[in-house]
């Protein structure tokens, strides 16, 4: 039989070499199990005479406890190692760079539409809509543009082939048919703007076959051109965020307004660019006038009771003037570089948080 301290040396070595919990348990069985070497040694105590037992007992017990302690300590160390390994393998590295998801941007036309809606909402205008494929009556006839009227040729209309008799449907050439639809649907007082797409067969640096307009319509009692001028001036000041906006109303002609006025806005030169504001020169920004009594009557309203004004304005042009783009065609090319440069952040609210009259 080996001596107790030899066994302690032997098993301490085996315990230290046990690489995992299963190997350690095998060492425990070998030393301290029922048939284990130290257990066998303990059993020899019974057969010893009392004096030998007194001398050997503490040595053997001491060896058993030393080996048991060594096993416990090693077990704790192995368990700790296993936990550390698991923590390491399951760790998420939050500092790793993530794949950048490309973010889109808000198109300047959408941004300007939001700005328009916000400004006119402050003045009590609702947003109205109408179809882009219009019938002849809403796009022309009801607006006092009879067949063979030269104004039809002026607007370079896209007609849709139907193979049927009668006037073909058109891609609306302006947002004015929304005036008609609104007056036929609602009772005055009416205050609406109608932003949307319109179509004309035209294409160069400042014209595209599809572009955007915003229509404005006010119908009430005792409305006059002073209301029109105030509304446009208030709108343009809020939109361009400048107080030095000067307007000039020039007599003009539209079949659906009488009198009609083309509205020019004063510009000034800043770093070689024309910007809206000041009065170094004039540029035309919109068409307007008092709604023609015939148009009011066409919608089933009494023109002796109800009057109003209307205006129509190019949204793309407003965007070009405010945000400094030169070529209208680039608006609709879908070039991501252009969109990134001129687009707006998704969470940018319209820039006009001050609102009208603030
Ligand atoms: N519909 C006209 C155009 O497209 C603009 C306009 C609207 C003029 C309302 C007067 C009143 O040219």
């Amino acid at each position: 039989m080996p001596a107790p301290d030899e066994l302690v040396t032997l098993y301490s070595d085996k315990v230290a070499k046990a690489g995992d919990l299963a190997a350690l348990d095998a060492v425990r069985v070998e030393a301290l199990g029922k048939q284990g070497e130290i257990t066998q040694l303990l059993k020899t105590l019974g057969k010893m005479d009392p004096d030998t037992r007194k001398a050997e007992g503490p040595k053997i017990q001491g060896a058993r406890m030393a080996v048991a302690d060594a096993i416990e300590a090693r077990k704790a160390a192995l368990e700790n190692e296993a936990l550390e390994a698991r923590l390491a393998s399951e760790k998420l590295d939050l500092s790793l760079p993530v794949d950048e998801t490309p973010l889109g941007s808000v198109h300047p036309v959408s941004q300007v539409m939001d700005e328009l809606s916000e400004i006119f909402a402050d003045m009590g205008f609702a947003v109205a809509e109408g179809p882009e494929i219009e019938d002849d009556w809403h796009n022309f006839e009801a607006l006092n543009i009879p067949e063979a009227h030269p104004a039809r040729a002026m607007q370079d209309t896209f007609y849709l082939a139907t193979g049927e008799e009668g006037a073909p449907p058109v891609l609306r050439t302006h947002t004015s048919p929304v005036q008609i639809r609104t007056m036929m649907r609602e009772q005055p007082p009416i205050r609406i703007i109608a932003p949307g797409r319109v179509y004309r067969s035209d294409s160069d640096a400042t014209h595209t076959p599809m572009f955007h307009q915003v229509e404005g319509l006010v119908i009430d009692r005792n409305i006059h051109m002073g209301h029109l001028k105030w509304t446009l001036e208030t709108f343009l000041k809020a939109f361009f965020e400048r107080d030095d906006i000067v307007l000039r109303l020039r007599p003009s002609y539209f079949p659906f307004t009488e009198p009609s006025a083309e509205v020019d806005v004063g510009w000034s030169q800043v770093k070689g660019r024309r910007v809206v504001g000041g009065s170094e020169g004039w540029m035309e920004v919109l068409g307007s006038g008092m709604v023609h009594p015939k148009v009011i009557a066409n919608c089933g309203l009494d023109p002796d009771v109800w009057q109003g004004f209307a205006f129509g304005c190019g949204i793309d042009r407003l965007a070009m003037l405010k945000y400094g783009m030169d070529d209208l065609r680039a608006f609709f090319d879908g070039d991501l570089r252009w969109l990134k440069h001129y687009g707006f952040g998704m969470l940018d609210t319209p820039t006009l948080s001050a609102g009208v009259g603030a």
Side-chain angles (χ1 to χ4, degrees):
M1 276 262 165
D5 50 353
E6 280 173 28
L7 288 178
V8 170
T9 311
L10 174 73
Y11 283 106
S12 296
D13 190 45
K14 288 194 175 194
V15 164
K17 284 184 180 146
D20 55 34
L21 289 169
L24 182 65
D25 201 54
V27 177
R28 182 189 61 78
V29 171
E30 199 185 333
L32 306 172
K34 267 194 189 138
Q35 306 301 320
E37 220 171 347
I38 296 179
T39 310
Q40 296 303 323
L41 198 57
L42 276 166
K43 283 182 184 162
T44 62
L45 284 175
K47 293 171 202 140
M48 289 178 188
D49 61 79
D51 283 345
T52 321
R53 188 185 304 133
K54 223 173 178 179
E56 290 303 311
K59 288 188 202 160
I60 300 175
Q61 283 295 6
R64 188 186 66 85
M65 282 173 49
V67 172
D69 285 353
I71 291 173
E72 269 318 300
R74 181 74 183 136
K75 192 176 170 205
L78 285 174
E79 279 171 353
N80 197 42
E81 257 174 47
L83 181 64
E84 290 293 336
R86 215 179 116 197
L87 285 176
S89 73
E90 291 177 3
K91 182 163 140 198
L92 293 178
D93 184 351
L94 299 180
S95 70
L96 275 177
V98 284
D99 280 347
E100 222 180 282
T101 314
L103 279 184
S105 57
V106 175
H107 195 284
V109 169
S110 304
Q111 169 76 14
V112 167
M113 281 189 182
D114 287 350
E115 294 179 11
L116 293 171
S117 305
E118 187 173 300
I119 295 169
F120 278 104
D122 273 359
M123 293 195 267
F125 285 66
V127 171
E129 287 183 318
E132 288 170 31
I133 296 177
E134 260 303 2
D135 55 52
D136 188 87
W137 192 77
H138 286 94
N139 197 79
F140 295 124
E141 200 75 34
L143 286 161
N144 198 32
I145 315 176
E147 224 188 313
H149 191 286
R152 292 201 181 202
M154 257 160 60
Q155 293 197 343
D156 302 310
T157 312
F158 285 114
Y159 291 94
L160 301 180
T162 58
E164 285 168 25
E165 290 278 302
V170 299
L171 293 180
R172 69 177 179 190
T173 54
H174 49 178
T175 41
S176 297
V178 185
Q179 286 185 35
I180 304 299
R181 291 182 176 275
T182 307
M183 281 190 273
M184 299 202 54
R185 192 180 54 229
E186 291 169 24
Q187 281 300 308
I190 290 171
R191 277 191 251 184
I192 56 118
I193 58 162
R197 295 189 188 99
V198 299
Y199 302 83
R200 290 183 201 180
S201 178
D202 206 353
S203 184
D204 60 37
T206 52
H207 297 90
T208 47
M210 185 283 296
F211 60 105
H212 300 83
Q213 279 190 339
V214 59
E215 192 81 8
L217 175 70
V218 169
I219 301 286
D220 206 336
R221 295 172 211 267
N222 308 317
I223 296 291
H224 54 74
M225 283 196 90
H227 296 124
L228 168 66
K229 189 174 182 227
W230 178 87
T231 303
L232 293 177
E233 203 174 286
T234 306
F235 157 61
L236 290 168
K237 281 181 177 168
F239 179 74
F240 288 107
E241 299 173 68
R242 292 178 68 133
D243 280 328
D244 61 345
I245 300 279
V246 211
L247 295 191
R248 182 173 77 173
L249 270 64
R250 239 180 328 105
S252 184
Y253 172 76
F254 299 103
F256 33 91
T257 45
E258 181 59 37
S260 303
E262 220 114 40
V263 179
D264 297 340
V265 65
W267 53 261
S268 48
Q269 198 96 7
V270 176
K271 290 189 198 133
R273 266 200 106 83
R274 277 185 191 186
V275 301
V276 172
S279 53
E280 282 176 44
W282 299 103
M283 65 173 112
E284 186 193 319
V285 285
L286 55 93
S288 66
M290 300 305 294
V291 181
H292 198 295
K294 275 196 191 168
V295 173
I296 294 182
N298 284 342
C299 297
L301 298 174
D302 182 350
D304 290 330
V305 178
W306 305 109
Q307 302 87 47
F309 63 80
F311 59 87
C313 179
I315 292 179
D316 318 282
R317 195 159 137 70
L318 286 181
M320 289 167 86
L321 286 171
K322 180 165 177 177
Y323 295 113
M325 304 89 151
D326 296 318
D327 192 341
L328 178 62
R329 287 167 297 196
F331 273 57
F332 312 119
D333 280 348
D335 184 331
L336 287 176
R337 291 163 305 176
W338 189 91
L339 290 167
K340 229 187 167 88
H341 183 77
Y342 288 110
F344 293 81
M346 229 87 65
L347 299 176
D348 292 352
T349 42
T351 52
L352 309 146
S353 45
V356 169

